[in-house]
Amino acid sequence: MTQHITMTINGQAAIASETMDVINPATAESFAQAPRASEADLNAAVDAAKAAYPAWKALSHSQRAALMVKAGDAIMANVDELTALFTAEQGRPLTMAKEEILGAGMWFKGMASFELPVEVVEETEQRTVEVHREPLGVVCAIVPWNFPVLLASWKMSHALLAGNTMVLKPSPYTPLTTLRVGELLREILPPGVLNIISGGDELGPLMTVHPGFAKISFTGSTATGKRIMASAAQDLKRITLELGGNDACIVLPDVDVDEVAPQLFMGAFFNTSQICIATKRLYIHDSIYDAMRDKLHGLAKALKVGNGTDSDSLFGPLQNKPQYDRVKALMVDAKERGLTLLEGGAVPEKGYFLPLTLVDNPADSERVVVEEAFGPILPLLRYSDLDEVIARANDSEYGLAGAVWSKDIEKALEVAKRLETGTVWINQNLQTTPNTPMGGHKHSGIGVENGLDGLMEFTQAKTIFIPKSKPAA
Ligand code: NAD
């Protein structure tokens, strides 16, 4: 089959000698072919990025920022085409897919407003000491399938603005929209600055051992993150790892159940729960537990799970077969262990669909509570004591994000401060912006993306001691 969408290597269209199927998860059928890059393609991409690096680094920050803005505009100008492609390969309903494409454009523009500071850390009669920030070289970017375009835009907009060049690899499950973005950005960026190659399971490990990379920026599972860290250790590549989460949301007794329930529901089930920062453990105070559970179950039954091209679908399929199998197995395990499952409405038989499912107050030790499901099964957990629930929320190997809901903002803030997570939302959820650093404690990752902190991760500090007098003759 032909490769309609090509890789980008050195500013040119690149086709691979092999292809791979791209499956539409709403039909479980292949609808397109994507290039399957070889090691030679990877080498060519790294060589191109290396060759482009000196001139790209030599541009002024404002010249690079202007190109980032243009890149963002190009993505936004092609939003309809990109959205249709996104829904076909990722599964998310069109309206919400569109938000991701616009978000990616907005990210390029948002990050462009950051400047790398020159910090004067000492100023005396004898000398000035400045800390400059300089780029690292060629960055290896590896992206998952759940927010393929947005997460790629985070990496591109940070690394390139800071003066690095890049080779980016989308997930084998969602290569097309990102490759298409690469085609659009070919018109804007100098050749070799941004190379995008797609491939199978073998490509990621080939990239992480490649000596041409100075840094790896990875978003994906904790298991893969550990492999990447081990691989990066061989030649001390810098790493940023954005990994899994098992996020707790704590609902205090004073909330208005009817008002809050739909927001809690979307915080857990948006993108069919395939979000690292989705609520994955929902702790509800005993005094409102029954009312909240019934309200959430009503929503699960009423809201439509279906093909993302149907205008009334709010939730799409699981994105791929292995993920579908994993989440289904977790649901079967929960049933077999006698837990009470509260299922949502019927779902299409064809495609990787599962019903939105609540689990009524399982024990904290159940798999469905301990593991990151990354799919539409949400444990509702009863609590009565605030100290106890904070301890339960923190009792996880993850520490990505969390949420607290209460009418009493002061009290919610006190709880937020005690959660061991990289982000906490009060009376909201799933919010990220170019200005807000995001990262996690424990097994949720190393380093952050976004904000000046995120940008700095693509730089090396360079301290320069500048004397005020010339050396004696
Ligand atoms: P994954 O780890 O299976 O794959 C992610 C990417 O890594 C893919 O491009 C894949 O091809 C590549 N890869 C796989 N094995 C590799 C290896 N050995 N070396 C190099 N690359 C390799 O993750 P996934 O299933 O695509 O994504 C879901 C996971 O991502 C969830 O755990 C989720 O929580 C996490 N995630 C985290 C964030 C965050 O910001 N913290 C955001 C989104 C998703």
Side-chain angles (χ1 to χ4, degrees):
M1 230 188 254
T2 47
Q3 300 167 47
H4 294 296
I5 300 182
T6 53
M7 302 189 290
T8 296
I9 299 178
N10 202 24
Q12 307 280 324
I15 57 164
S17 53
E18 288 185 36
T19 60
M20 53 191 193
D21 284 324
V22 185
I23 309 288
N24 180 335
T27 61
E29 284 168 4
S30 168
F31 75 99
Q33 296 285 301
R36 187 180 194 119
S38 63
E39 192 165 3
D41 294 322
L42 167 63
N43 290 336
V46 176
D47 287 348
K50 258 189 189 167
Y53 177 59
W56 181 248
K57 177 186 176 185
L59 291 184
S60 69
H61 187 87
S62 58
Q63 284 171 313
R64 289 195 298 267
L67 290 171
M68 294 298 104
V69 172
K70 274 192 172 177
D73 285 337
I75 292 170
M76 290 168 128
N78 289 276
V79 61
D80 291 338
E81 179 205 339
L82 292 169
T83 298
L85 192 55
F86 185 102
T87 295
E89 69 173 349
Q90 207 280 340
R92 191 182 313 152
L94 286 165
T95 328
M96 289 165 268
K98 186 172 184 175
E99 282 172 20
E100 172 153 352
I101 304 299
L102 293 174
M106 189 270 283
W107 230 272
F108 271 96
K109 299 172 80 158
M111 283 309 296
S113 66
F114 283 99
E115 285 198 27
L116 287 166
V118 174
E119 196 187 350
V120 177
V121 292
E122 190 181 315
E123 183 74 77
T124 63
E125 282 179 14
Q126 288 76 35
R127 67 186 189 189
T128 306
V129 182
E130 296 178 348
V131 181
H132 293 241
R133 288 275 158 183
E134 59 180 27
L136 299 166
V138 182
V139 172
C140 163
I142 300 180
V143 182
W145 43 260
N146 64 329
F147 277 76
V149 180
L150 188 69
L151 296 174
S153 80
W154 292 14
K155 298 185 188 315
M156 295 187 274
S157 61
H158 289 58
L160 304 190
L161 179 66
N164 305 279
T165 57
M166 172 173 276
V167 179
L168 183 140
K169 184 192 89 61
S171 165
Y173 296 110
T174 51
L176 295 177
T177 320
T178 310
L179 288 172
R180 181 70 190 118
V181 167
E183 293 183 341
L184 296 169
L185 300 195
R186 260 182 232 159
E187 310 297 320
I188 293 163
L189 299 170
V193 167
L194 173 65
N195 306 274
I196 303 186
I197 57 175
S198 53
D201 290 341
E202 66 291 344
L203 185 58
L206 284 175
M207 289 174 80
T208 58
V209 295
H210 198 295
F213 290 115
K215 177 181 172 95
I216 303 171
S217 174
F218 170 76
T219 303
S221 64
T222 297
T224 306
K226 288 178 187 174
R227 284 187 208 111
I228 286 178
M229 191 167 176
S231 172
Q234 303 308 312
D235 49 5
L236 291 178
K237 291 186 181 83
R238 277 55 182 152
I239 49 171
T240 299
L241 303 176
E242 294 285 358
L243 308 179
N246 192 10
D247 297 2
C249 172
I250 300 175
V251 186
L252 302 194
D254 65 353
V255 301
D256 180 325
V257 170
D258 288 346
E259 200 181 294
V260 161
Q263 300 178 67
L264 296 179
F265 193 85
M266 289 311 285
F269 288 107
F270 181 72
N271 201 32
T272 315
S273 308
Q274 301 165 111
I275 313 188
C276 53
I277 51 175
T279 295
K280 297 184 184 121
R281 295 175 287 153
L282 183 54
Y283 294 95
I284 305 165
H285 191 267
D286 187 45
S287 60
I288 54 166
Y289 181 92
D290 290 352
M292 187 68 85
R293 177 199 56 209
D294 295 347
K295 188 84 194 165
L296 293 169
H297 190 201
L299 290 166
K301 285 190 283 193
L303 300 177
K304 183 176 165 183
V305 178
N307 193 318
T309 53
D310 296 347
S311 59
D312 57 343
S313 293
L314 259 186
F315 306 94
L318 276 292
Q319 198 282 321
N320 58 68
K321 180 75 164 54
Q323 190 61 18
Y324 169 83
D325 289 342
R326 236 185 325 258
V327 179
K328 196 169 176 186
L330 201 56
M331 289 178 173
V332 169
D333 172 77
K335 261 186 204 155
E336 284 176 358
R337 291 190 52 76
L339 306 183
T340 306
L341 269 60
L342 308 170
E343 279 190 10
V347 300
E349 280 182 15
K350 203 174 171 201
Y352 307 139
F353 291 97
L354 288 171
L356 307 181
T357 301
L358 306 165
V359 188
D360 190 4
N361 200 30
D364 285 358
S365 56
E366 292 292 342
R367 278 184 62 201
V368 75
V369 182
V370 176
E371 293 180 17
E372 180 193 35
F374 221 61
I377 177 162
L378 175 70
L380 309 181
L381 301 149
R382 211 184 264 272
Y383 80 91
S384 49
D385 178 78
L386 197 52
D387 289 334
E388 174 226 289
V389 77
I390 293 169
R392 287 167 73 193
N394 286 336
D395 184 18
S396 167
E397 65 181 23
Y398 296 105
L400 193 57
V404 190
W405 289 74
S406 172
K407 284 186 181 145
D408 183 342
I409 304 288
E410 293 295 314
K411 193 167 184 182
L413 184 57
E414 286 312 307
V415 177
K417 286 180 186 167
R418 293 172 63 189
L419 291 179
E420 293 164 2
T421 60
T423 301
V424 188
W425 298 285
I426 295 173
N427 297 341
Q428 54 198 304
N429 44 44
L430 304 181
Q431 300 294 308
T432 55
T433 78
N435 300 330
T436 48
M438 184 181 137
H441 286 246
K442 304 185 251 184
H443 291 192
S444 288
I446 292 182
V448 295
E449 291 189 302
N450 303 324
L452 189 56
D453 290 321
L455 186 60
M456 300 267 245
E457 297 223 356
F458 289 87
T459 67
Q460 167 69 44
K462 177 187 264 181
T463 307
I464 308 181
F465 289 75
I466 310 163
K468 294 213 168 139
S469 57
K470 292 185 181 151

